[in-house]
Amino acid sequence: MNGRPAALADKAFDVAIIGGGIFGACAAWDAALRGFSVALVERGDFCSGTSANSFKIVHGGIRYLQHGDLVRLRTSCYERTALLRIAPHLVQPLPIVIPTYGRGRQGKALLGAGMVLYDLLTLDRTRGIKDAQRKIPWARFLSRQELLDLFPGIQTQTLTGGVVFCDGQFYNPARLVLAFLQSAVNAGAVVANYVEATAFLCHNGIVEGIVGRDALTGESYPIQAKVVLNAAGPWAERILNKAIGLSLRPQGSYSRDACFLIPRPFTSSHALAVQARTRDPDAVLSRAARHLFIVPWRDYTLIGVWHVVYKGEPDAVTVSERDLGSFIDEVNWAYPALDLSLADVSMWNAGLVPFGENLPGVIDLSYGKRSRLIDHEQEHGLKGLVTLIGIRYTMARSDAAHAMDLIAKKLGKGGSRPATDRTTIHGGQIESFDSFVKQAVMQSNQPVDSAVMRALIHNHGSEYKQVLKLAEEDPAAAETLENSNVLKAEVVNAVRNEMVFKLSDVVFRRTDLGAGGNPGDQALRTCADIVAKELGWTADQAKQELLEVTAQFPKFQDTRHRSEGEMELARTMPDSPLT
């Protein structure tokens, strides 16, 4: 991968993209496949903002059936299919169980009818997917006993059984963004992390590029471009306001979506939807309450999502200990068998996504509906600038394609839209994932454990041999980091080939090391030693990087046995951040 701001300043581009999350990455790939010259800058590391904090569900649109929004249902299902098709190593089916109780809105008849209707509306949901294990099956009913066998801790009063449907799940959202970016680079794009767009280059009401500031050196460079795409997510409006004095009307409303991990596998390979305490006010036909999801993910249990209207700065997004405590209370109320406390949480994730319009203090929140694509020439008389504020990770490929359709018109470059819904991304040349892993284990010149090989191929797909080659060159690199499935060669590869500048880039986004929580001091120190050697850090630099990484892992005390007085004191104390 490439490059730095000085290299970006050497030529004029067709398109400059601000933002290295999933929407910017998909836009860069789409634009490069159209033959456009593309520059992309990200002020932090790639996929270090909202995209990194995804709940890891690839939504197929079933919830939109409740809203009567068949367009969103169909497009979401199409995008789920596209991701299953083009990223077989990073997206896989996830069965989800919804329990049924009694009759009426909670019963099997209504829910089952909805599932059948959804299946009929999405008959093409497996088109182009050759691997039978990756196809989305029809929904099916579970008897009461079958559901209890899967989830023995479920509340049983009036329980009649359940319905199983499938959505998709990301193995690693950050690696998926990286795969799109690498695909863009392979097609000719130039990308740079730790480069902040601080200003627009404007002349006579025309945007002609951006000013990029290198966060590593402090130097700034002009990056010339015929059109600029502002795809900075929740930071997009602030960039417009700060860099050019432009405010969107209406201003965006954002939700802080949060979830958390507990470091033990769920009791089932199926996810479980349990009813929360709030309703969906936009639903035409709704069950009694919204659902929280308890989801198996790798060797962890992932729980969420909670939505809170957020008015602050995107950089200040956090989840307070009090907030997380209330989330845990709600989970324990909905599924008492988990018996969770703060001490069970190994990691939390929170990001900002566009939300619906909600009155102050309302409990049943209205979600956002669609991404926002703004042609600033039409809206503000400012040529050469387009803003895309995406709403769902699942929809990034499609929304980016629509943005590039608009930009192609501005560039006066016709031609058909590239088939990004059918073109496998970097590492995606795999027909059957399980067969591919088995063959890789048998053919490997290194004695790699099958679980390690499986994790390696999940993250690198068909390009996994690039990592193993480093292990062959250095036997020490064939070892795994302590208490993990991460090869030391993966760390070396990340530094040499994947634009790593900080330890956190490796721990949280290039490898699985810190995805589920703190892997332990020894693993982090070993990882830091490898990165320090590759990048030439001093001992003090390595120590500072370690401190920054460890500060991002939550640390809690067990609250289950605290007295009522202690709990009341905790509730009245000011919020403290989790890290």
Side-chain angles (χ1 to χ4, degrees):
M1 292 180 71
N2 48 44
R4 300 313 302 154
L8 294 171
D10 288 342
K11 61 179 288 189
F13 295 88
D14 290 323
V15 185
I17 299 171
I18 303 171
I22 187 60
F23 286 86
C26 287
W29 183 46
D30 185 289
L33 289 179
R34 294 178 194 239
F36 301 166
S37 56
V38 182
L40 179 145
V41 297
E42 162 59 48
R43 70 171 195 154
D45 188 26
F46 303 124
C47 196
S48 57
T50 299
S51 298
N53 290 284
S54 162
F55 189 51
K56 304 170 184 65
I57 297 290
V58 186
H59 296 284
I62 194 167
R63 185 167 63 85
Y64 304 138
L65 190 63
Q66 293 178 285
H67 299 171
D69 193 337
L70 300 188
V71 173
R72 273 202 300 168
L73 182 152
R74 289 283 301 153
T75 54
S76 293
C77 178
Y78 189 90
E79 291 309 307
R80 181 185 63 192
T81 300
L83 287 171
L84 284 164
R85 193 164 47 220
I86 69 177
H89 53 312
L90 287 162
V91 183
Q92 58 200 22
L94 173 70
I96 302 173
V97 175
I98 303 179
T100 54
Y101 292 89
R103 299 179 180 178
R105 288 189 300 171
Q106 302 287 85
K108 268 189 181 180
L110 182 62
L111 184 59
M115 293 295 182
V116 170
L117 178 57
Y118 175 76
D119 281 342
L120 292 173
L121 290 168
T122 59
L123 286 173
D124 57 350
R125 61 188 174 275
T126 62
R127 183 175 295 169
I129 300 173
K130 297 179 181 179
D131 185 355
Q133 298 298 315
R134 302 176 49 69
K135 293 185 176 183
I136 301 294
W138 288 75
R140 61 187 178 90
F141 289 104
L142 294 177
S143 68
R144 188 177 191 273
Q145 188 56 52
E146 285 174 320
L147 191 135
L148 288 172
D149 289 342
L150 285 172
F151 308 107
I154 197 77
Q155 296 188 51
T156 59
Q157 187 174 4
T158 73
L159 178 70
T160 58
V163 176
V164 182
F165 75 99
C166 260
D167 251 341
Q169 185 179 54
F170 297 119
Y171 178 83
N172 187 329
R175 290 296 316 185
L176 184 56
V177 169
L178 203 69
F180 277 113
L181 287 170
Q182 184 65 67
S183 300
V185 169
N186 293 345
V190 182
V191 304
N193 52 352
Y194 295 101
V195 176
E196 182 179 8
T198 59
F200 293 103
L201 302 174
C202 295
H203 182 70
N204 293 332
I206 302 174
V207 173
E208 298 178 338
I210 60 176
V211 176
R213 186 186 71 84
D214 190 331
L216 305 176
T217 67
E219 295 182 77
S220 293
Y221 301 87
I223 302 171
Q224 304 285 339
K226 296 174 184 176
V227 180
V228 174
L229 174 64
N230 175 16
W235 289 269
E237 292 186 66
R238 284 159 175 78
I239 289 173
L240 293 171
N241 187 263
K242 182 178 178 181
I244 208 168
L246 190 154
S247 296
L248 297 184
R249 293 289 182 269
Q251 289 187 343
S253 173
Y254 293 87
S255 163
R256 184 205 63 189
D257 284 12
C259 58
F260 64 84
L261 281 163
I262 56 176
R264 62 175 184 259
F266 195 31
T267 56
S268 170
S269 60
H270 292 52
L272 176 65
V274 293
Q275 291 196 10
R277 291 170 170 166
T278 59
R279 296 182 63 256
D280 182 353
D282 298 325
V284 175
L285 184 61
S286 174
R287 300 190 86 205
R290 277 188 168 128
H291 290 106
L292 296 176
F293 293 88
I294 306 170
V295 180
W297 181 71
R298 303 189 193 176
D299 293 326
Y300 302 90
T301 300
L302 178 62
I303 304 174
V305 174
W306 288 267
H307 312 273
V308 177
V309 175
Y310 185 82
K311 302 289 187 181
E313 291 291 324
D315 289 335
V317 170
T318 188
V319 180
S320 71
E321 187 168 328
R322 183 166 58 184
D323 280 346
L324 190 53
S326 69
F327 298 166
I328 289 171
D329 288 344
E330 187 165 6
V331 175
N332 286 336
W333 172 82
Y335 193 68
L338 284 177
D339 189 26
L340 297 179
S341 82
L342 281 171
D344 293 310
V345 177
S346 61
M347 181 63 74
W348 59 266
N349 298 106
L352 296 183
V353 297
F355 219 36
E357 294 299 319
N358 291 281
L359 296 173
V362 69
I363 295 175
D364 297 325
L365 297 173
S366 175
Y367 294 171
K369 302 297 188 296
R370 289 174 174 82
S371 297
R372 193 172 182 184
L373 181 61
I374 302 158
D375 181 352
H376 292 284
E377 183 176 358
Q378 295 293 325
E379 295 286 333
H380 307 102
L382 187 63
K383 295 182 179 180
L385 180 61
V386 174
T387 290
L388 171 62
I389 303 176
I391 193 168
R392 291 281 181 270
Y393 196 125
T394 307
M395 297 301 299
R397 187 210 64 84
S398 175
D399 289 344
H402 287 298
M404 281 303 145
D405 288 344
L406 174 60
I407 288 172
K409 292 179 182 178
K410 293 183 177 296
L411 293 171
K413 297 188 176 184
S416 60
R417 178 189 289 186
T420 56
D421 58 337
R422 298 184 296 278
T423 305
T424 53
I425 59 173
H426 184 77
Q429 288 70 44
I430 298 173
E431 285 197 8
S432 170
F433 186 82
D434 287 340
S435 298
F436 191 90
V437 172
K438 290 177 182 177
Q439 187 176 25
V441 171
M442 289 189 296
Q443 294 178 347
S444 175
N445 295 325
Q446 297 291 321
V448 179
D449 180 84
S450 60
V452 173
M453 182 67 81
R454 190 175 189 86
L456 177 66
I457 294 174
H458 265 306
N459 282 322
H460 294 268
S462 52
E463 302 298 319
Y464 77 99
K465 289 183 180 179
Q466 177 177 274
V467 176
L468 289 188
K469 184 179 179 181
L470 295 172
E472 292 172 5
E473 295 170 355
D474 178 6
E479 301 170 356
T480 56
L481 297 172
E482 292 79 1
N483 301 313
S484 80
N485 286 329
V486 178
L487 289 169
K488 294 178 181 178
E490 289 182 75
V491 179
V492 176
N493 178 72
V495 180
R496 294 182 185 178
N497 301 312
E498 295 179 342
M499 297 183 66
V500 162
F501 295 101
K502 296 183 68 62
L503 182 62
S504 57
D505 301 341
V506 176
V507 172
F508 296 112
R509 291 174 289 279
R510 302 301 187 277
T511 73
D512 292 340
L513 192 59
N518 193 327
D521 292 343
Q522 188 57 57
L524 292 175
R525 282 197 296 268
T526 302
C527 184
D529 288 343
I530 296 171
V531 177
K533 181 180 179 181
E534 291 289 323
L535 293 180
W537 288 344
T538 65
D540 285 344
Q541 285 177 296
K543 182 179 179 180
Q544 181 59 39
E545 292 288 329
L546 267 172
L547 289 173
E548 290 179 7
V549 165
T550 54
Q552 296 184 55
F553 295 112
K555 297 177 182 178
F556 306 108
Q557 295 179 347
D558 195 328
T559 59
R560 282 174 293 194
H561 306 296
R562 290 161 69 177
S563 69
E564 285 298 318
E566 289 175 317
M567 294 296 288
E568 181 60 31
L569 178 62
R571 283 191 287 268
T572 59
M573 292 289 286
D575 286 352
S576 59
L578 299 185
T579 58

